[in-house]
Amino acid sequence: MTVTWEELGWERLAPGVGRCRLPVWDCTVGLVVGAGAALVVDAGSSLAEGARLRTRAQALTGDRVTHLALTHPHFDHVLGAAAFAGTEVYGAVGVDALLGSRHGREEIRADAVRHGLPEPSATEAAETLVPPRHHVSGEWTLDLGSGCQVLLANVGPGHTAHDLAVLVPGDPEVVFCGDLVEESGEPQAGPDAVPSHWPDALDRLLSLGGEDALYVPGHGAVVDAAFVRAQRDALAARFGVSG
């Protein structure tokens, strides 16, 4: 009996490509399935959430998760990463230094607790967090088999100093944007944001995906190029960025 994406909690976006919206912080996690390989985009907010994601992904693929891409180093996107032990982990260059330092992990842990994650869960996840092995400084192509190639692109800084986007070619093309794009509320600019470069990062997203792509925000519903362009213009106005 074949189990569908939807039955396992995934929203199918294109052949072999889906996403799910996690509870509490409405964070999006992506899934790209190749031949004997699978890429998860972001890891959830805790070890328990990461483990549930990995189980749901493997139930769908019938195989193990082989790759994990972290779009940026905020707690709701990275604290589940240790549940993906044994995978090849990718992040924008610089994320490795942040996640590999005691100070960086403590900042992530404290931010998670401020946002309501129980302190024991936040502490456990932060203490086991390891930096990505693969550091993307420009673009990196992953071959997931049977012609399924995924492009990882360092498009930041913007929402943070280390923003990674994931482009899945196809019909339609799908772009996982991380929190460079948010649909369920106004984009959040915390102390690690780089507002002067954020509109440029969205221009790079648009150049990657083009007019007909599906753009998957870090939070909220899937959007189109017109939405990304409007958010780019709103951010430029909000932060006084010209061009």
Side-chain angles (χ1 to χ4, degrees), residues 5-13 17-32 39-45 49-57 60 76-77 84 174 176 179 216-222:
W5 287 71
E6 290 72 18
E7 288 172 330
L8 290 170
W10 299 96
E11 175 189 357
R12 187 173 180 272
L13 303 175
V17 186
R19 66 92 176 246
C20 65
R21 293 170 68 169
L22 301 177
V24 185
W25 294 285
D26 191 28
C27 177
T28 286
V29 168
L31 177 63
V32 185
L39 165 70
V40 169
V41 182
D42 284 335
S45 62
E49 194 162 63
R52 287 193 296 271
L53 286 165
R54 186 169 191 170
T55 297
R56 286 165 57 184
L60 180 65
D76 49 335
H77 296 260
F84 291 85
V174 178
F176 292 97
D179 286 3
V216 184
H219 302 266
V222 176

Side-chain angles (χ1 to χ4, degrees), residues 75-152:
F75 82 92
D76 49 335
H77 296 260
V78 303
L79 279 185
F84 291 85
T87 66
E88 299 294 331
V89 184
Y90 298 76
V93 66
V95 167
D96 53 311
L98 179 64
L99 300 188
S101 72
R102 181 175 297 275
H103 175 71
R105 292 194 299 272
E106 172 55 28
E107 284 193 337
I108 294 169
R109 187 201 69 82
D111 190 42
V113 173
R114 281 194 298 270
H115 282 84
L117 188 68
E119 188 163 359
S121 296
T123 299
E124 179 187 25
E127 288 178 348
T128 56
L129 193 57
V130 295
R133 177 184 173 190
H134 304 289
H135 316 137
V136 183
S137 59
E139 296 181 350
W140 191 312
T141 300
L142 296 180
D143 188 347
L144 300 182
S146 294
C148 179
Q149 293 191 326
V150 177
L151 181 69
L152 309 181

